C-alpha cells in the first residue's frame, strides 16, 4: 500500500498589504504558506490573523507548530526573522519549547536580579538580620525582637508603598523628602521613618548591596522631642487603676500589671502562658524578649498580680476554640492577644485614649447610665441623645495632665526609692539600688567589679526582689483604695540592705 502523500502548500510572497487583504474563512482556519520556509499565516473565522512556524521534529514525521506573533502587531519582516531563528534552533537540535523556556527563564532571572536590588528586598533582609540578632543598636547590643518587629511594621506601613519597588540607586533625596512631608501633614512618625530608611541604606552599604550616596544624608529630625516621663501622683494612680477595672482585659489588665511590677510595656504585653510559673509565683521572661540581654529575667508575682493573671487566664479560656481534631480546646498562647489571637495586643494609642476618657469621665462624675450611652452599650433611645451629649461635654471639660504608659515604670522606681517616711517626713527606708535595678532589669552599677562577678544574679536577687514587689503591691493597694492602711500595714521589707 502506497504511503499517503504529504499535504503541501503553495508558497505566497506575503506583504503587509497582502496580509491585510486576506479574507477570513466561513469556518475553521485558513493557512497561507509564506516564501519563508516554515512560516505560515493563520486566519480564523473570526478574522484573527496569527504567524506560526511549522517544522518537522528531528528524526520524526510529526510536525511541530508554534504561534510566534499576531498581525498587525508583528509585521511580515519581523515574522520572517523570527521564523528563521526558530528553524535555526530546530536544526541545532533544540526543541522549540525548550528555546521558549530558556528565554522565559532568562527573563525571570533578570527580573529576580533587578528585584534583589529593590528597597523592598533590602528592607526585608535588614529586618531578618535584626531578628537574627546580627545588628547592634545604640547601646552596642543586638537589636531586640521588639524593636525589629516595630521597624518591620513601620517599613511595611509607611515606606514600602512609596519606595519598595525602586532600586536603591534610583531613590533620591527629594523622593524621601516628599514621603516625610506627607507623613508630617498626616501627623505620622516622621523621625522614626527617617531613622528606619537611613538604617536600611546603611545596612545595604555594610553588606555591599549599595555603593552610592545615602539619600538621607543631611536630613534632620522634624518633630519636637517627646515630653519626658514623670512620676504619677496618688490621685493619678487611683484614677488610672479604677479606669483599668472598667476597661478590663486585656488592656486594663496590662496597665495594672505595669503599675504593680514596674516592667517594660512590650515585655508584659507579649507575655506567654508558658512564662508564668504558678507554683513559684514567678514570671520568667526569656532572654530574647528582654531589653537587657544578660539572660532570662525573673519577676516575682505579688498576690494582686497573680489575681490579674488568673482573670486573664479565664478570659483566654473563654475565647478558646476547638482544635483541628474537634476535641478539647486550644487556648491562645498569649496572655494578652490581639483580636486575631495569634499576635500580641495592638492599637495602643486608641486603647490609651479610651483609658484617658474613662479617667476624665470618672473625674467629671459620669454615671453608669451615661457611660452606657457614651460607650454604645445597649439600645440608645433618641430621647436620651441630650443625656449622651451632656456626658460627652463633661468628659471633654475634665482635667487630665498628659501622661505616658512609660510613666508607670518611672513611678515604680521613684516610689520604691522614696520608700517610707517618718512623722517628720524623713526617709527611714529606701529600696537598695542594686535590688531595684535587678527588679526592673537595669544593668547593675557595680563598675569594674562586674567583670569579676560570674554568679547567678536571678538566684541572688530572687527573694529580695519578691520582698520589694510585695511591699510595693501592699502600698499601691492602699493608694488605690483596695486595702485599708490600718488593716494592711505597709511594712518595710525585712532585708533593708
Amino acid at each position: 500500500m502506497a504511503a499517503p502523500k504529504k499535504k503541501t502548500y503553495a508558497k505566497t510572497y506575503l506583504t503587509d498589504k497582502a496580509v491585510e487583504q486576506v479574507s477570513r474563512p466561513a469556518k475553521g482556519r485558513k493557512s497561507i504558506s509564506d516564501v519563508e520556509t516554515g512560516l505560515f499565516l493563520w486566519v480564523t473565522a473570526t478574522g484573527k490573523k496569527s504567524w506560526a512556524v511549522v517544522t518537522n521534529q528531528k528524526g520524526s514525521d510529526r510536525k511541530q507548530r508554534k504561534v510566534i506573533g499576531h498581525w498587525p502587531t508583528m509585521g511580515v519582516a519581523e515574522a520572517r526573522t523570527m521564523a528563521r531563528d526558530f528553524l535555526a534552533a530546530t536544526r541545532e537540535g533544540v526543541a522549540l519549547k525548550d528555546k521558549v523556556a530558556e528565554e522565559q527563564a532568562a527573563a525571570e532571572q533578570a527580573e529576580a536580579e533587578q528585584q534583589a536590588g529593590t528597597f523592598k528586598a533590602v528592607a526585608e533582609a535588614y529586618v531578618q538580620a535584626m531578628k537574627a540578632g546580627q545588628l547592634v543598636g545604640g547601646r552596642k547590643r543586638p537589636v531586640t525582637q521588639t524593636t525589629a518587629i516595630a521597624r518591620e511594621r513601620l517599613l511595611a506601613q509607611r515606606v514600602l508603598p512609596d519606595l519598595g519597588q525602586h532600586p536603591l540607586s534610583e531613590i533620591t533625596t527629594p523622593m524621601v523628602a516628599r514621603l516625610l512631608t506627607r507623613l508630617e501633614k498626616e501627623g505620622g512618625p516622621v523621625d522614626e521613618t527617617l531613622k528606619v530608611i537611613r538604617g536600611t541604606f546603611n545596612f545595604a552599604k555594610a553588606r555591599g548591596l549599595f555603593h552610592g550616596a545615602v539619600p538621607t544624608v543631611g536630613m534632620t529630625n522634624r518633630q519636637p522631642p517627646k515630653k519626658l516621663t514623670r512620676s504619677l501622683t496618688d490621685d493619678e494612680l487611683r484614677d488610672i487603676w479604677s479606669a483599668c477595672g472598667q476597661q478590663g482585659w486585656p488592656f486594663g489588665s496590662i496597665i495594672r500589671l505595669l503599675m504593680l511590677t514596674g516592667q517594660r510595656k512590650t515585655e508584659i504585653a507579649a507575655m506567654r502562658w508558658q512564662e508564668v510559673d504558678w507554683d513559684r509565683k514567678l514570671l520568667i521572661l526569656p532572654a530574647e524578649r528582654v531589653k537587657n540581654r544578660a539572660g532570662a529575667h525573673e519577676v516575682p508575682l505579688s498576690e494582686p498580680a497573680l489575681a490579674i493573671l488568673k482573670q486573664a487566664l479565664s478570659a483566654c479560656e473563654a475565647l478558646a476554640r476547638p482544635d483541628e481534631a474537634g476535641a478539647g480546646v486550644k487556648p491562645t498562647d498569649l496572655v494578652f492577644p490581639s483580636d486575631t489571637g495569634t499576635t500580641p495586643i495592638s492599637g495602643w494609642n486608641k486603647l490609651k485614649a479610651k483609658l484617658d476618657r474613662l479617667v476624665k469621665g470618672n473625674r467629671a462624675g459620669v454615671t453608669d447610665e451615661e457611660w452606657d450611652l457614651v460607650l454604645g452599650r445597649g439600645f440608645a433611645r433618641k430621647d436620651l441623645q441630650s443625656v449622651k451629649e451632656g456626658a460627652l461635654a463633661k468628659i471633654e471639660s475634665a482635667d487630665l495632665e498628659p501622661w505616658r504608659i512609660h510613666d508607670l515604670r518611672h513611678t515604680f522606681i521613684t516610689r520604691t526609692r522614696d520608700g517610707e517616711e517618718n512623722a517628720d517626713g524623713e526617709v527611714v527606708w529606701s529600696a537598695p539600688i542594686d535590688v531595684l535595678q535587678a527588679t526592673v532589669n537595669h544593668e547593675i552599677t557595680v563598675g569594674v567589679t562586674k567583670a569579676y562577678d560570674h554568679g547567678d544574679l536571678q538566684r541572688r536577687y530572687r527573694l529580695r526582689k519578691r520582698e520589694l514587689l510585695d511591699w510595693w503591691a501592699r502600698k499601691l493597694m492602699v493608694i488605690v483604695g483596695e486595702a485599708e492602711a490600718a488593716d494592711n500595714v505597709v511594712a518595710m521589707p525585712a532585708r533593708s540592705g
Side-chain angles (χ1 to χ4, degrees), residues 135-144 147 151 195 291:
L135 297 186
V136 175
R139 298 189 179 187
K140 307 303 181 185
R141 297 175 182 167
V143 175
T144 65
T147 299
R151 290 180 183 175
K195 181 178 180 179
K291 189 172 184 179

Side-chain angles (χ1 to χ4, degrees), residues 39-66:
L39 179 62
F40 286 79
L41 175 68
W42 287 350
V43 185
T44 66
T46 62
K48 183 178 180 180
K49 299 175 181 179
S50 305
W51 295 108
V53 174
V54 180
T55 64
N56 289 324
Q57 290 186 350
K58 189 173 183 179
S60 172
D61 290 334
R62 295 179 58 190
K63 291 186 179 298
Q64 186 176 20
R65 299 172 176 82
K66 179 68 178 178

Side-chain angles (χ1 to χ4, degrees), residues 434 437 443-451 453 460-461:
D434 61 324
Q437 289 172 329
E443 186 174 1
I444 297 178
T445 52
V446 291
V448 71
T449 308
K450 177 184 175 182
D453 185 358
R460 181 183 303 167
Y461 283 99

Side-chain angles (χ1 to χ4, degrees), residues 3 15 27 41 75 84 102 120 150 170 187 195 218 245 263 273 275 281 330 335 345 354 434 455:
T15 63
K27 61 180 180 178
L41 175 68
R84 285 193 292 271
E102 290 173 4
K120 182 176 184 294
E170 294 181 3
K195 181 178 180 179
Q263 303 305 305
W273 286 116
E275 297 169 1
K281 300 180 181 180
K330 198 173 186 179
V335 180
I345 185 174
K354 181 180 178 181
D434 61 324

Side-chain angles (χ1 to χ4, degrees), residues 139-306:
R139 298 189 179 187
K140 307 303 181 185
R141 297 175 182 167
V143 175
T144 65
Q145 293 296 305
T146 301
T147 299
I149 292 171
R151 290 180 183 175
E152 180 180 30
R153 186 181 301 115
L154 190 148
L155 280 164
Q157 295 176 351
R158 306 290 187 176
V159 183
L160 296 186
D162 283 38
L163 305 180
Q165 298 308 312
H166 293 280
L168 292 185
S169 58
E170 294 181 3
I171 296 176
T172 62
T173 300
M175 290 170 66
V176 177
R178 284 193 295 269
L179 168 61
L180 298 178
T181 298
R182 190 186 73 249
L183 277 179
E184 187 174 24
K185 292 179 179 178
E186 297 172 353
V190 179
D191 294 342
E192 284 299 314
T193 302
L194 173 60
K195 181 178 180 179
V196 80
I197 293 174
R198 182 184 291 123
T200 303
F201 271 95
N202 289 338
F203 168 80
K205 294 196 77 167
R207 296 296 172 92
L209 303 174
F210 178 70
H211 306 284
V214 176
T216 59
V217 170
M219 288 188 170
T220 57
N221 291 346
R222 304 186 182 195
Q223 297 170 312
K226 293 180 179 179
K227 184 179 178 181
L228 296 177
T229 49
R230 60 190 179 86
S231 177
L232 303 181
T233 66
D234 283 3
D235 287 341
E236 289 174 318
L237 291 174
R238 187 178 305 111
D239 291 343
I240 292 170
W241 182 273
S242 177
C244 285
Q246 293 173 267
Q247 195 162 3
W249 177 87
F251 188 73
S253 301
I254 292 176
I255 298 301
R256 283 186 169 184
L257 273 181
L258 293 175
M259 296 173 75
L260 284 163
T261 64
Q263 303 305 305
R264 296 180 178 90
K265 176 184 76 173
T266 53
E267 294 169 3
I268 293 296
M271 281 174 56
R272 297 184 178 275
W273 286 116
Q274 62 262 34
E275 297 169 1
V276 180
D277 187 331
W278 296 101
D279 294 332
R280 297 196 298 162
K281 300 180 181 180
L282 284 175
L283 168 63
I284 305 175
L285 301 174
E288 64 269 16
R289 283 219 307 108
V290 295
K291 189 172 184 179
N292 183 345
R293 292 295 185 86
H297 172 52
E298 294 181 356
V299 184
L301 297 169
S302 62
E303 290 303 320
L306 284 169

Side-chain angles (χ1 to χ4, degrees), residues 16-82:
D16 288 331
K17 184 175 182 180
V19 172
E20 182 180 3
Q21 293 176 350
V22 172
S23 60
R24 63 185 181 183
K27 61 180 180 178
R29 183 181 69 191
K30 180 189 293 185
S31 185
I32 302 173
S33 177
D34 185 55
V35 294
E36 184 67 47
T37 302
L39 179 62
F40 286 79
L41 175 68
W42 287 350
V43 185
T44 66
T46 62
K48 183 178 180 180
K49 299 175 181 179
S50 305
W51 295 108
V53 174
V54 180
T55 64
N56 289 324
Q57 290 186 350
K58 189 173 183 179
S60 172
D61 290 334
R62 295 179 58 190
K63 291 186 179 298
Q64 186 176 20
R65 299 172 176 82
K66 179 68 178 178
V67 174
I68 60 173
H70 303 282
W71 190 90
T73 304
M74 180 181 286
V76 175
E78 186 179 357
R80 287 172 178 159
T81 300
M82 287 289 292

